[in-house]
Amino acid sequence: MNRTASQAEAAPSDLEALLDGRLPDARGRFGPWGGRYVPETLVPALDRLQEGIAQHLHSAEFQGCLGAELRDWVGRPTGLTFAPRLSAAWGAELWLKREDLAHTGAHKINNALGQAMLAKMLGAKRIVAETGAGQHGVASAAACARIGLPCVVYMGEIDCERQALNVDRMRRLGAEVVPVTSGDRTLRAAIDEALRDWVSDPEGTYYLLGSVVGPHPYPYLVRELQAVIGREARAQVIERAGGLPDMVVACVGGGSNAIGLFHGFLGDPSVEIIGVEAGGHGTALGENAATISFGRPGVLHGTYSLLLSDDDGQVYETDSVSAGLDYPGVGPEHAFLATIGRVRYEYADDTESLAALDECCELEGILPALETAHAFAGARRWARANPGKRILLGLSGRGDKDMPTLARFPKQRAAQ
């Protein structure tokens, strides 16, 4: 299923405004989506962050320091790997952008490091963060250790159990991990608690948000820090494969890895772009986390976007085998891209994604994160319908963290 332009208020020509930097606008809007819906106590902190971004983010000094850290500490540029056996099995040419090879094992480190450096420049005394699968928490803990700021990470109780290895990693990196026992006890509840902490001390605390969600200017800031993925991937695939891909695909929860990769190709009309959401175990509310596929407009965590909610506007709990995709909202820029039809959003269910993960392990010797397995499932479907074409897949993270979850499922072979 995909969302089409007919469901939208924005026009296709708005893509030009996005590409030339006029979106988000002064109110933080991507067309009708985005904005800032927060308590008055947070407005000054968001205004300071917006001013800090304008002053520092694209300055030569900040970009020079960030670039050096990304090279020497994170290990950028990350590799581009041709996948010969999956290509043969699918009948298409598959290339993998390897964010799993970045320090701490996922794309999350690009954003965590950049925000932590910015927070220190803005005078923050401590960092709070939220995490679902734990990779943003690990990245935040590592970045704070690197620059010398204390870090508190909120994580849902359910996610603490299914991502226990990452909880230990965060604590060893010096972070305080706070299990959240309220609400759905997953990522949504963790964000609620991180926001409450930030509201209590907006002057001295910096909220290091992990995805392209939340109030303006976070969706813009996180996208700018993750766009390095798409810039690298575009140059690498042209050099290695001899041209642009026919299709680019990534998994979408909040959507930071996907928006970073997609931005390298939005201006290439020949490139089809697909985001793959978590289809869980069914299509009814509460059975999946496919927000764009099944959601409706609403406000969550300070921004106007698509949400999984009922007729009364009540936000539903979600369900996915992947903790990192288990979120009832999506970044407003993704809602915009779906609205204007530049990106097509689909979903893959738990069974299909687990099978895709096993196929990648057996044929390529790579254990992807459960989040990324959804992108593999979507790519496989597209390859079957488009034989001989070239695919670029954003391999957002490695799957070591998911072993306790994977141990509960027998190996599955993808259907031929």
Side-chain angles (χ1 to χ4, degrees):
M1 179 177 177
N2 62 81
R3 182 169 291 268
T4 66
S6 63
Q7 295 169 279
E9 299 173 38
S13 61
D14 286 344
L15 179 61
E16 297 173 8
L18 181 70
L19 294 175
D20 67 19
R22 287 180 284 128
L23 296 180
D25 63 19
R27 299 177 303 150
R29 297 275 187 175
F30 299 87
W33 311 106
R36 185 188 287 181
Y37 299 83
V38 296
E40 285 297 322
T41 51
L42 287 183
V43 171
L46 289 168
D47 285 344
R48 282 196 300 276
L49 176 57
Q50 191 167 344
E51 291 166 6
I53 291 170
Q55 182 178 356
H56 299 296
L57 183 62
H58 295 295
S59 69
E61 179 187 5
F62 184 82
Q63 286 296 317
C65 294
L66 178 61
E69 286 292 88
L70 288 173
R71 180 191 65 226
D72 298 336
W73 188 66
V74 172
R76 303 207 73 87
T78 56
L80 182 75
T81 300
F82 178 58
R85 297 190 67 202
L86 280 175
S87 295
W90 294 358
E93 182 184 333
L94 178 63
W95 295 83
L96 309 174
K97 179 55 176 169
R98 299 292 304 280
E99 292 303 290
D100 59 317
L101 298 181
H103 179 48
T104 67
H107 69 288
K108 293 293 188 182
I109 192 67
N110 309 314
N111 169 56
L113 176 64
Q115 284 200 55
M117 293 175 62
L118 185 61
K120 192 163 188 176
M121 292 182 75
L122 298 179
K125 304 302 181 188
R126 67 190 283 268
I127 298 288
V128 296
E130 87 297 325
T131 197
Q135 290 305 105
H136 174 58
V138 170
S140 298
C144 288
R146 177 72 173 178
I147 67 170
L149 281 176
C151 180
V152 177
V153 179
Y154 291 91
M155 188 172 190
E157 186 179 47
I158 292 175
D159 292 337
C160 286
E161 293 172 0
R162 58 181 174 175
Q163 302 287 318
L165 294 175
N166 271 342
V167 173
D168 190 49
R169 287 179 74 191
M170 285 182 263
R171 287 173 173 156
R172 290 181 184 277
L173 289 165
E176 176 188 355
V177 181
V178 180
V180 178
T181 58
S182 59
D184 62 3
R185 297 181 294 152
T186 62
L187 180 58
R188 175 187 167 194
I191 293 176
D192 288 340
E193 288 304 314
L195 282 169
R196 288 191 186 98
D197 186 320
W198 189 28
V199 168
S200 71
D201 178 27
E203 294 283 339
T205 296
Y206 180 88
Y207 179 22
L208 204 167
L209 218 164
S211 193
V212 284
V213 299
H216 180 64
Y218 279 109
Y220 166 75
L221 173 60
V222 178
R223 179 251 279 174
E224 288 295 289
L225 292 169
Q226 294 291 12
V228 65
I229 303 171
R231 289 195 298 271
E232 288 180 6
R234 190 176 190 279
Q236 289 170 320
V237 75
I238 290 173
E239 179 186 2
R240 296 280 306 285
L244 289 169
D246 297 296
M247 191 272 274
V248 171
V249 61
C251 61
V252 177
S256 64
N257 131 78
I259 210 74
L261 179 63
F262 293 171
H263 256 262
F265 302 91
L266 289 175
D268 298 308
S270 66
V271 179
E272 185 175 353
I273 303 177
I274 298 176
V276 185
E277 300 188 291
H281 66 277
T283 59
L285 272 175
E287 295 181 345
N288 61 74
T291 306
I292 299 178
S293 299
F294 300 116
R296 62 185 74 193
V299 172
L300 179 66
H301 295 141
T303 194
Y304 178 70
S305 188
L306 290 163
L307 313 176
L308 292 171
S309 57
D310 61 19
D311 292 339
D312 297 322
Q314 294 299 311
V315 178
Y316 260 59
E317 295 184 4
T318 53
D319 189 83
S320 169
V321 70
S322 169
L325 300 182
D326 218 349
Y327 181 65
V330 69
E333 191 169 352
H334 283 292
F336 171 78
L337 291 170
T339 292
I340 64 172
R342 179 62 186 98
V343 178
R344 183 157 58 91
Y345 293 85
E346 303 175 346
Y347 59 88
D349 64 24
D350 290 348
T351 301
E352 187 181 10
S353 301
L354 286 163
L357 181 146
D358 286 337
E359 187 180 34
C360 181
C361 288
E362 293 177 11
L363 296 187
E364 294 297 339
I366 296 171
L367 172 60
L370 273 168
E371 292 89 335
T372 316
H374 292 70
F376 276 97
R380 189 177 192 275
R381 286 199 302 250
W382 190 88
R384 295 297 192 196
N386 297 274
K389 300 291 187 178
R390 179 180 298 145
I391 299 170
L392 174 66
L393 186 150
L395 209 170
S396 57
R398 69 190 191 209
D400 311 41
K401 65 183 178 58
D402 295 315
M403 286 311 299
T405 299
L406 293 173
R408 296 190 286 111
F409 296 94
K411 287 181 65 175
Q412 301 185 45
R413 171 70 70 177
Q416 297 301 309

